C-alpha cells in the first residue's frame, strides 16, 4: 500500500471552471481512499504503472490544467460519450477529445432530480456531473457531442443542451449500404462542426496526422492486451481496465509512449516469469457494457474472489482499439470513407442484427485464454441485456462457462454479486 498516494486538489482552478468547489472538495479524498484500497493494495504490480497512478493523482488537477491551458490557447475541447464519435478529427483540428461517460454513484442523485430513475446509471452519472457542477472535465469542454445509440442517451442530450452546448450525431442502427452513406455524411458534418470551433479547415495532411496519432494509441493498447493474455498474467485485470479508462482523457501521444514503456516491462516480466497471479488462477473474460471511470466494481469483485480478468470485450476495452483506420487514403474523400469503414466495424448492441459481436466475443475468448465469460450489463440497458441471450446460447453451445449479470454503481448488491462470482469461479475450477 502506498500511503503517499493522493488524488490532488486545486480549488482555484475549479473555481475558474465554475464548479461547485465546496461540494467537489470531498471527491479527491474519497477517490484517494478507493484507489489505495482497490489498486495500491495489489501485490507485485509492474513498476511502470507509476505513470498511470500519477494520472489518477492528477485527474482533477494536472490534466485539467493542461486542457485548460490548451483551451486558453484557442484549441477546441470536445467531450464525447461514445466510441462512435471520431476523435481523429478533433486531434486533426489541433483539439482535445475527452470521454465524458460517468462511472460514479455520487452524481446520480443530482440526475434523478430531473431524469427518471429507471434509466442507465452511466447516463444518469454523466448528466448528474454536469447538473451538479462536480466534474472538471464537463466544465472545461467547449461542447459535447452525443449520439443516437440508445434511447436514454438521445433523449438526455436534449436536456443536457440546457447546460452545455450539445450536438448529436446520428448513428444508424443497421449496416446496409444506405446506412453507411448516412454515416459518412454524419462524419463529414462532425468534421465541419469541429473545424468551426477550431476556426480552421483541417486539410488532408492534418487528417492524416490525426489518424496516425489515434491509430498509434490504439496499436499500443493492442500490444498491451496481447501481453496481458499471457499465462501467468504479467498485469492484473484491474490495472488493464484503469489504463483503458485513462485512454479516454490522457494526451494520446504521451499515453501511447507510456503504454509501450509498460509493454517493454511486461515483456521482461513474461521472460522472467514475474506475474501478478499463479498460472493456475481462473481466467475470466468480461464482455458487455462499458465501465467508465471510476467504475471498478466488477473487476474488484472478480479479482478479490481469486480469479483474474484477462480481457474486456467492451467500449472501454477491445471495442475501442481492436480496429485501426487504413492510412492509405489519397484524398480527403477517401480518408473520410476509410475512417467511416473503421467505425462501422464497432459492434455495439444498438445495431441489428449484430452477430459480428458474438463472433468477436468468441474470438477474444480464444485469444485471451479465458476459461469463462461474465457478461456485464448496466441496469436498464435493454440492447446489451437482450443480446446476452444470443451470447449465452453461443457460449453454451461451445461449453464455455457463461454468467450474465445486471448491476448499477451502488454498493448495495456487492455481497450478492460476490457470492455469484465465487460460485462461477468454483464452476471453472471444476
Ligand atoms: S458503442 S456500448 S459507448 S453506445 S450502457 S448508455 S447503450 S443504456 S454505452 Fe455505448 Fe457507444 Fe455502444 Fe459503446 Fe445506453 Fe446501454 Fe447505458 Fe450505453
Amino acid at each position: 500500500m502506498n500511503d503517499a498516494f493522493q488524488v490532488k486538489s486545486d480549488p482555484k482552478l475549479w473555481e475558474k471552471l465554475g464548479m461547485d468547489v465546496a461540494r467537489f472538495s470531498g471527491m479527491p479524498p474519497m477517490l484517494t481512499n478507493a484507489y489505495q484500497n482497490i489498486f495500491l493494495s495489489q501485490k507485485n504490480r509492474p513498476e511502470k504503472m507509476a505513470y498511470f497512478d500519477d494520472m489518477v493523482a492528477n485527474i482533477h488537477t494536472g490534466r485539467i490544467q493542461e486542457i485548460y491551458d490548451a483551451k486558453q490557447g484557442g484549441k477546441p475541447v470536445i467531450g464525447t460519450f461514445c466510441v462512435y464519435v471520431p476523435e481523429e478529427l478533433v486531434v486533426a483540428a489541433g483539439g482535445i477529445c475527452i470521454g465524458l461517460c460517468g462511472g460514479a454513484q455520487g452524481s446520480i442523485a443530482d440526475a434523478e432530480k430531473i431524469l427518471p430513475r429507471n434509466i442507465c446509471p452511466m447516463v444518469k452519472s454523466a448528466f448528474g456531473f454536469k447538473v451538479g457542477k462536480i466534474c472538471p472535465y464537463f466544465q472545461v469542454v467547449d461542447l459535447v457531442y452525443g449520439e443516437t445509440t440508445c434511447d436514454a442517451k438521445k433523449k438526455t442530450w436534449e436536456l443536457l443542451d440546457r447546460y452545455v452546448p450539445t450536438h448529436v450525431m446520428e448513428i444508424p442502427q443497421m449496416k446496409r449500404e444506405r446506412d453507411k452513406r448516412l454515416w459518412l455524411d454524419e462524419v463529414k458534418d462532425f468534421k465541419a462542426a469541429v473545424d468551426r470551433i477550431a476556426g480552421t479547415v483541417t486539410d488532408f495532411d492534418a487528417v492524416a496526422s490525426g489518424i496516425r496519432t489515434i491509430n498509434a494509441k490504439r496499436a499500443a493498447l493492442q500490444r498491451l492486451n496481447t501481453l496481458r493474455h499471457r499465462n501467468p498474467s504479467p498485469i492484473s485485470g484491474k490495472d488493464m481496465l484503469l489504463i483503458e479508462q485513462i485512454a479516454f482523457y490522457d494526451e494520446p501521444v504521451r499515453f501511447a509512449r507510456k503504454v509501450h514503456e509498460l509493454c517493454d516491462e511486461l515483456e521482461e516480466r513474461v521472460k522472467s516469469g514475474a506475474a501478478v497471479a499463479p498460472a493456475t488462477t481462473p481466467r475470466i473474460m468480461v464482455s458487455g457494457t462499458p465501465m467508465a471511470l471510476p467504475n471498478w466494481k466488477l473487476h474488484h469483485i472478480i479479482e478479490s474472489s481469486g480469479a483474474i480478468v484477462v480481457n474486456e470485450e467492451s467500449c472501454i476495452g477491445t471495442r475501442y482499439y481492436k480496429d485501426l483506420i487504413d492510412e492509405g487514403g489519397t484524398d480527403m474523400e477517401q480518408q473520410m470513407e476509410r475512417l467511416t469503414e473503421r467505425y462501422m466495424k464497432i459492434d455495439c448492441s444498438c445495431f441489428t442484427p449484430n452477430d459480428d459481436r458474438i463472433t468477436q466475443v468468441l474470438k477474444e475468448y480464444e485469444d485471451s485464454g479465458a476459461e469463462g465469460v461474465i457478461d456485464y450489463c448496466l441496469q436498464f440497458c435493454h440492447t446489451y441485456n437482450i443480446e446476452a441471450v444470443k451470447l449465452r446460447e453461443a457460449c453454451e453451445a461451445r461449453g464455455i462457462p457463461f454468467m450474465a449479470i445486471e448491476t448499477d454503481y451502488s454498493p448495495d448488491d456487492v455481497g450478492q454479486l460476490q457470492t455469484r462470482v465465487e460460485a462461477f469461479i468454483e464452476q471453472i475450477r471444476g
Side-chain angles (χ1 to χ4, degrees), residues 174-181 344:
M174 297 177 89
K175 293 183 178 175
R176 300 160 302 182
E177 276 313 309
R178 63 181 135 166
D179 301 310
K180 291 179 189 171
R181 284 196 297 276
M344 292 289 297

Side-chain angles (χ1 to χ4, degrees), residues 50-81:
Y51 170 76
F52 302 98
D53 292 341
D54 201 50
M55 280 304 295
V56 175
N58 282 290
I59 188 168
H60 301 140
T61 52
R63 181 61 183 140
I64 295 293
Q65 186 70 56
E66 284 180 345
I67 299 170
Y68 181 78
D69 292 345
K71 184 174 161 155
Q72 296 300 104
K75 311 257 185 211
V77 181
I78 296 183
T80 64
F81 301 93

Side-chain angles (χ1 to χ4, degrees), residues 111-128:
E112 287 180 346
K113 287 182 194 151
I114 299 166
L115 294 175
R117 294 169 67 99
N118 54 349
I119 60 171
C120 171
M122 190 147 61
V123 174
K124 284 191 287 187
S125 174
F127 186 74

Side-chain angles (χ1 to χ4, degrees), residues 81-85 101 119-123 147-154 157 171 248 288-290 314-316 319 346-351 377-385:
F81 301 93
C82 177
V83 297
Y84 278 118
V85 180
C101 282
I119 60 171
C120 171
M122 190 147 61
V123 174
E147 17 57 51
T148 57
T149 45
C150 74
D151 293 349
K153 280 180 166 183
K154 73 182 170 204
W157 307 149
I171 307 291
F248 287 86
T289 48
S314 167
C315 287
I316 299 188
R319 234 176 278 136
I346 301 172
D347 42 17
C348 175
S349 65
C350 65
F351 281 87
C377 184
L378 284 169
Q379 244 175 27
F380 307 113
C381 179
H382 306 314
T383 55
Y384 277 94
N385 212 355

Side-chain angles (χ1 to χ4, degrees), residues 88 210-220 324-327:
E88 288 82 358
I211 289 174
R212 276 196 305 275
T213 299
I214 302 303
N215 269 354
K217 171 162 84 156
R218 299 193 210 273
L324 305 185
I325 296 173
D326 180 341
E327 294 178 14

